Amino acid sequence: MTQGIFITFEGIDGSGKSTQARLLAERLQFSGRKVVLTREPGGSEGAEEIRQLLLTGDPNRWSAETELLLFNAARRDHLEKTIRPALAEGAVVISDRFADSTRVYQGATRGDLRGAVEQLHSIMIGQEPDLTFIIDMDPQIALERGLARSSGEDRFEDFGLGFQETLRHGFLTLAKAHPSRCLVVDGNRAVEAVAAEVAAQFEARQ
Ligand code: ADP
Ligand code: TYD
């Protein structure tokens, strides 16, 4: 049986993950691959409901610990209902965010929860991507891009620029810790230039 490929896009808010995930999905679909484009938090019916709890409302609505549990509940549902079935059918699954976002946002921003994050991940999720693109860019530019969308899901953007700088550092540290699956891509370029690099790096790994 063919086993699929699991690809994730990670990075700070507004760095271009959704745009790049969509462009890679379109490219692979065009070349005849079966592709499932999905996102976190969300990607399944139950997880999309949890998304609303997480991304709307007061920035201090949840503690980091409560958030960690909600993100894992959403991810477990996403894994059961969407990711694993698609991989089992041989699809390329492209997820806009996954567990690395929890490692960075919940693990190392408001106190040190890294131990709890890894324990919960290994007990409840236990799946790593085959390839992770970390779109790196200046938080000031990314924040302007992100807030310009005014999606109403801005709870994390509302923590401000200093928070985004901590996140950027967190993603770059994570990339160094997992060099075999993480690729840092400079997101501060035209959409097409970033997409060309993403496509080339994907092909180079096939
Ligand atoms: P993310 O998913 O990381 O939050 P998006 O892909 O939604 O980022 O992009 C955020 C905003 O920036 C969108 O309005 C998008 O059209 C725009 N954008 C994305 N990539 C670029 C780029 N390379 N240059 C300029 N604007 C971009
Ligand atoms: P999203 O729409 O992906 O954000 P953006 O397009 O701005 O990058 O919203 C997800 C938000 O939730 C984002 O601010 C990051 C945060 N998040 C976590 O804190 N932990 C997680 O595990 C995930 C998946 C997301």
Side-chain angles (χ1 to χ4, degrees), residues 12-20 96 145-146 149 187 189-191 194:
I12 62 174
D13 301 279
S15 55
K17 299 175 298 300
S18 314
T19 304
Q20 295 302 328
D96 179 356
R145 281 189 196 168
R149 284 176 308 179
R189 294 175 289 167
V191 171
V194 181

Side-chain angles (χ1 to χ4, degrees), residues 8 10 99-104 114 117-118 121 127-134 170-184 205:
T8 58
E10 298 279 4
D100 292 330
S101 283
T102 310
R103 292 184 169 109
V104 171
R114 281 174 291 191
V117 167
E118 289 307 332
H121 180 76
Q127 173 102 38
E128 296 297 348
D130 298 301
L131 178 59
T132 298
F133 291 104
I134 294 181
F171 279 115
L172 293 176
T173 304
L174 192 115
K176 284 206 187 99
H178 302 279
S180 58
R181 74 169 168 88
C182 291
L183 266 168
V184 178
R205 274 162 183 75

Side-chain angles (χ1 to χ4, degrees), residues 2 9 38-39 46 50 56 78 83 92 141 154 167 173 195 206:
T2 47
F9 282 81
T38 186
R39 68 165 183 184
I50 298 173
T56 59
H78 185 208
I83 298 175
V92 181
I141 299 169
D154 297 332
L167 296 172
T173 304
Q206 297 316 294

Side-chain angles (χ1 to χ4, degrees), residues 11-14 17-18 40-41 51 55 67 71 75 96-98 101-102 105-106 149 153 156-157:
I12 62 174
D13 301 279
K17 299 175 298 300
S18 314
E40 287 208 355
R51 178 184 176 95
L55 301 190
E67 256 172 43
F71 277 115
R75 182 161 306 129
D96 179 356
R97 295 193 184 277
F98 188 65
S101 283
T102 310
Y105 282 74
Q106 281 69 48
R149 284 176 308 179
E153 291 181 336
F156 286 89
E157 277 104 329

